[in-house]
Amino acid sequence: MSITTTGEFGLIARVTARGQTGVNCLLGPGDDAAVVRAADGRVVASTDVLVEGRHFRRDWSTARDVGHRAAAANLADIAAMGAVPTALLVGFCAPRDLDVSWAEELAGGIGDEAAKVGAGVVGGDMSASSVLTVAVTALGDLQGRDPVLRSGARAGDVVALCGRIGYAAAGLTVLSRGFRTPKLLVEAYRRPQVPYQAGPAAAAAGATSMIDVSDGLVQDLGHVAAASGVRVDLRRDAFEVPRQMADAARALGVDPYTWVLAGGEDHALAATFGESVELPEGWRPIGRVLDGSGVTVDGDAYEGRGGWDHFR
């Protein structure tokens, strides 16, 4: 059954039936706008867009996979501010001949990922389009804490990471070369494993800056370095390359540290902490904040692209 058969409102009914609105939703889909609880008095908000052919391919990922990725990209941004996600709004643009089941599975993936943090889809919009596009806006609650900005890193701080790094980039390379294994890497590209709880935990521990690693570790920490007016120096030996990644890199003729240092979409969290702070559970040191500017690796400038740029 195509979207043309159900029509816009039939599709809305089918999609909204696939998910829950979450514990913070006071009024969900059905009116002109949703009402979401904001007990802190402040709302953290972030938006990401996934475009077919640019961010995902239907022959590489299922609709449910795309839903997980779309939600994760936004929920990770909320966590990187030290906040707890509360709700999602979804914009969906699709060709008229798209099968309704694809949209339903997409909604299921978004809802399942949001449920991991107690959030849900509370509204959105739909339109016909020649290009399949998913736009998600996430809202979050700081729970009385100050937001953790990119501009707070200071010389002497420890740079730390929580979550996997390089896995999704390796999976993308594997898929782009026409392979479907190793499964560990391909599945990491299809559905990132985001350490959502690590963001609020880092904020509570006194993180001085934090960022979601979505475009590449070197590039994203470059944003922290620029905003804070410091240099971030990473230690190459702080990153363990798992066996499957090392094997895939050898087979494909790729330096695995290219995936680790410049690959995105794992949505690990990177943060800086005062040197006397005990790192929260799951966080590991990967470098130091120094005087200067930019990002270096073992004291030297990183050669090559540091990450993904949507317009290059």
Side-chain angles (χ1 to χ4, degrees):
M1 182 188 301
S2 71
I3 291 176
T4 299
T5 304
T6 64
E8 177 183 358
F9 301 106
L11 180 60
I12 290 173
R14 286 173 172 267
V15 166
T16 54
R18 303 285 291 192
Q20 299 178 350
T21 54
V23 297
N24 292 288
C25 180
L26 302 178
L27 180 65
D31 279 82
D32 290 325
V35 179
V36 179
R37 182 183 291 108
D40 178 86
R42 297 168 295 175
V43 176
V44 180
S46 180
T47 296
D48 276 285
V49 174
L50 271 67
V51 179
E52 184 177 19
R54 184 64 174 173
H55 301 100
F56 68 90
R57 284 174 44 169
R58 277 185 272 171
D59 58 331
W60 286 358
S61 302
T62 67
R64 191 168 286 269
D65 292 334
V66 176
H68 277 274
R69 286 183 61 209
N74 289 272
L75 296 171
D77 283 338
I78 300 301
M81 298 298 291
V84 175
T86 56
L88 297 177
L89 299 163
V90 180
F92 179 63
C93 302
R96 290 180 173 87
D97 61 354
L98 182 74
D99 195 286
V100 169
S101 64
W102 199 95
E104 291 178 316
E105 287 300 302
L106 172 77
I110 293 174
D112 287 349
E113 191 68 27
K116 294 178 181 180
V117 292
V121 177
V122 300
D125 192 21
M126 294 181 178
S127 176
S129 170
S130 59
V131 180
L132 184 55
T133 303
V134 183
V136 179
T137 295
L139 307 178
D141 180 10
L142 288 163
Q143 298 183 331
R145 295 180 293 270
D146 290 332
V148 184
L149 310 181
R150 299 177 179 182
S151 56
R154 297 293 179 262
D157 284 355
V158 174
V159 183
L161 186 77
C162 187
R164 304 194 303 190
I165 196 81
Y167 287 65
L172 175 59
T173 302
V174 167
L175 288 167
S176 68
R177 300 286 183 91
F179 302 103
R180 294 295 185 269
T181 57
K183 186 176 180 180
L184 172 71
L185 305 180
V186 172
E187 289 303 314
Y189 166 76
R190 289 172 173 160
R191 298 190 187 187
Q193 295 182 8
V194 186
Y196 297 116
Q197 291 76 16
T208 54
S209 69
M210 188 155 47
I211 193 167
D212 162 34
V213 184
S214 57
D215 295 324
L217 185 63
V218 170
Q219 180 163 288
D220 287 329
L221 283 175
H223 300 320
V224 172
S228 299
V230 296
R231 174 163 68 99
V232 171
D233 186 52
L234 301 174
R235 297 194 338 265
R236 187 182 174 102
D237 65 5
F239 303 97
E240 180 181 354
V241 176
R243 179 184 57 79
Q244 287 111 318
M245 189 183 296
D247 291 345
R250 234 181 344 263
L252 298 172
V254 175
D255 178 355
Y257 285 97
T258 300
W259 293 329
V260 171
L261 295 172
E265 296 195 306
D266 283 299
H267 298 292
L269 299 181
T272 57
F273 297 85
E275 56 186 340
S276 63
V277 172
E278 181 178 351
L279 296 181
E281 183 179 357
W283 288 87
R284 60 191 187 277
I286 59 171
R288 302 287 294 191
V289 179
L290 305 171
D291 290 324
S293 62
V295 178
T296 53
V297 180
D298 294 330
D300 297 321
Y302 181 75
E303 299 295 333
R305 292 177 60 182
W308 172 259
D309 186 321
H310 293 275
F311 293 96
R312 292 180 179 172

